[in-house]
Amino acid sequence: MAAAALSSARWPLRSTAGLAGPSRALARGVPGGANLPWSKLGFGVHPTSAIVKYSWDGDAGKWDAGVESADPKVEVHLLSHVINFGQAVFEGLKAFHTADGRVVAFNLRCNAARLGRSAERMSLPRVPEHVFIEAVERAVRANVDFLPPYGSGGSMYIRPVLFGHGPSLAIAPAPTFTFAVAVTPVAAFFEGGLKGIKALVRTDVDRAAPRGTGGHKVAGNYSPDIRTSAQTHERGYDVSLFLDSKTLTHVEEFSVANFVGVTRDGTIVSPQTPSILPSCTRKVVMTMAADLGLKAEERPIPWEEVPTLAEVAACGTAVVLTPMKSITREDTAEHIEFAGHATLQRMYDHVVATQTGVVPDAHGLLHEISLN
């Protein structure tokens, strides 16, 4: 999971000159044109130029042509499903400026497919892959000045959102729907890069029900974790780790990312269960393992196996791979420490090198975005 949330407040704009309305063309720039302190941005919301919005045409049964708007606000009725019933899903992916000067979105077809599965679960109209790709391309082009330049270590975080709105009190499909894409420049999600962090196993809270929405990127999955994460931080830990809610015997995922481990024989392992969000970045890691001569297994991981792992990391779009220095489980008084993260470092470097075009894109993950 990714824990970032785009603010609903008005963003300061780079420039609105010549923008009489959302349908007017926006000025185009170059990667890094905003000249921000790229390495100091952290993982948060920063001012950009525009969002892209599409509206559902119920009569035609399809999405409209979409508009680019300098105003990041979306007006909805107070009795809308998105506010009252949480009928919303979202995605998170990144764009990069590569070593050879291209602008690329990473692994976006995986995100398009996952948004479609989430939409179906939440009774939202699917966004066809070509509309998803078009929306991402338009959002990146409209804000390319805010794409961190190659060598800065940064990227552009892309947040597609799909939700139902319009006045309604019924537990039924919403009167209308909006699909929108916002972007923001980011540095690393966790401060300190690949330095290890401390995880706390939360057996007092269930992350997801066995047959619930944990396997989908549903907005309502994340709000309950705000309090849980705050409690974890108050106890002196950096991130929460959850076990399966039915038996508390198997690892599921961290609050902000999937669980990835490295066995002592060098095999990369990650849990397999329908209640875990299928991370697109985890899929990349498991696929790229073979590039480094490593085996990869997606399978149930019993808690008893965790102390035997050589390395453990949180894996997701925002973090790629963030190693654990330790995992503590208070209810059983267990404290597990990890000596290093050499294998995870190799994998992290390989993924980042692929994202930024330093090594060949052997798996066809880079989608080039024309700035014309």
Side-chain angles (χ1 to χ4, degrees):
M1 296 181 180
L6 297 180
S7 171
S8 60
R10 187 181 187 87
W11 296 352
L13 300 176
R14 171 173 60 100
S15 172
T16 56
L19 285 177
S23 62
R24 293 292 297 272
L26 297 170
R28 310 299 188 197
V30 295
N35 197 28
L36 299 177
W38 306 111
S39 63
K40 300 178 181 180
L41 293 178
F43 193 90
V45 178
H46 298 277
T48 55
S49 295
I51 65 171
V52 179
K53 294 187 293 185
Y54 292 76
S55 297
W56 178 251
D57 185 336
D59 293 333
K62 65 179 182 179
W63 295 99
D64 69 7
V67 295
E68 297 170 20
S69 174
D71 187 349
K73 298 191 301 297
V74 177
E75 186 174 289
V76 298
H77 195 281
L78 183 61
L79 297 178
S80 290
H81 280 19
V82 64
I83 296 174
N84 294 271
F85 304 146
Q87 191 184 27
V89 300
F90 67 98
E91 275 300 322
L93 63 152
K94 286 183 175 181
F96 297 86
H97 184 218
T98 65
D100 58 2
R102 292 175 295 153
V103 173
V104 299
F106 185 68
N107 199 24
L108 83 172
R109 285 182 169 80
C110 179
N111 296 96
R114 189 171 65 178
L115 185 75
R117 294 191 297 271
S118 298
E120 183 176 358
R121 178 66 178 84
M122 297 298 288
S123 299
L124 293 159
R126 276 184 171 261
V127 177
E129 183 182 87
H130 74 274
V131 175
F132 184 96
I133 293 174
E134 175 191 270
V136 169
E137 290 178 338
R138 290 174 69 175
V140 172
R141 278 196 294 267
N143 298 285
V144 70
D145 279 357
F146 297 92
L147 174 63
Y150 173 74
S152 66
S155 59
M156 176 178 283
Y157 185 79
I158 304 167
R159 172 57 62 81
V161 182
L162 171 61
F163 58 92
H165 59 104
S168 176
L169 295 177
I171 303 295
T176 190
F177 307 93
T178 292
F179 171 57
V181 179
V183 303
T184 184
V186 298
F189 183 84
F190 290 118
E191 294 181 2
L194 281 194
K195 294 178 182 178
I197 63 173
K198 298 185 295 181
L200 174 66
V201 179
R202 296 298 301 268
T203 55
D204 58 327
V205 179
D206 290 333
R207 187 196 65 83
R211 288 177 291 277
T213 59
H216 304 279
K217 206 164 179 68
V218 175
N221 288 349
Y222 293 77
S223 295
D225 190 55
I226 296 173
R227 181 171 181 268
T228 303
S229 291
Q231 293 171 336
T232 294
H233 295 157
E234 289 168 2
R235 296 186 197 180
Y237 299 92
D238 302 299
V239 67
S240 305
L241 175 61
F242 297 95
L243 307 181
D244 73 286
S245 60
K246 186 175 182 179
T247 68
L248 297 180
T249 59
H250 286 75
V251 173
E252 287 219 329
E253 64 178 335
F254 294 99
S255 59
V256 297
N258 278 186
F259 179 101
V260 169
V262 182
T263 66
R264 290 175 182 172
D265 68 358
T267 300
I268 296 180
V269 296
S270 193
Q272 184 180 55
T273 167
S275 58
I276 293 175
L277 182 73
S279 165
C280 289
T281 305
R282 182 185 70 165
K283 184 177 180 180
V284 168
V285 167
M286 303 303 275
T287 299
M288 286 188 174
D291 299 350
L292 302 181
L294 302 172
K295 294 188 297 182
E297 298 175 356
E298 290 188 47
R299 56 172 174 78
I301 298 179
W303 167 252
E304 289 76 10
E305 184 178 356
V306 175
T308 72
L309 297 174
E311 305 174 39
V312 169
C315 176
T317 298
V319 301
V320 182
L321 288 166
T322 297
M324 297 300 119
K325 178 166 58 178
S326 66
I327 297 177
T328 299
R329 182 171 174 177
E330 293 180 342
D331 65 320
T332 56
E334 291 176 86
H335 179 73
I336 307 161
E337 294 192 354
F338 301 97
H341 48 264
T343 301
L344 294 170
Q345 182 73 61
R346 287 178 62 209
M347 179 57 68
Y348 175 88
D349 291 343
H350 185 54
V351 173
V352 171
T354 302
Q355 290 174 327
T356 54
V358 174
V359 299
D361 178 21
H363 303 283
L365 299 171
L366 302 185
H367 176 84
E368 186 169 356
I369 299 173
S370 171
L371 299 183
N372 297 327

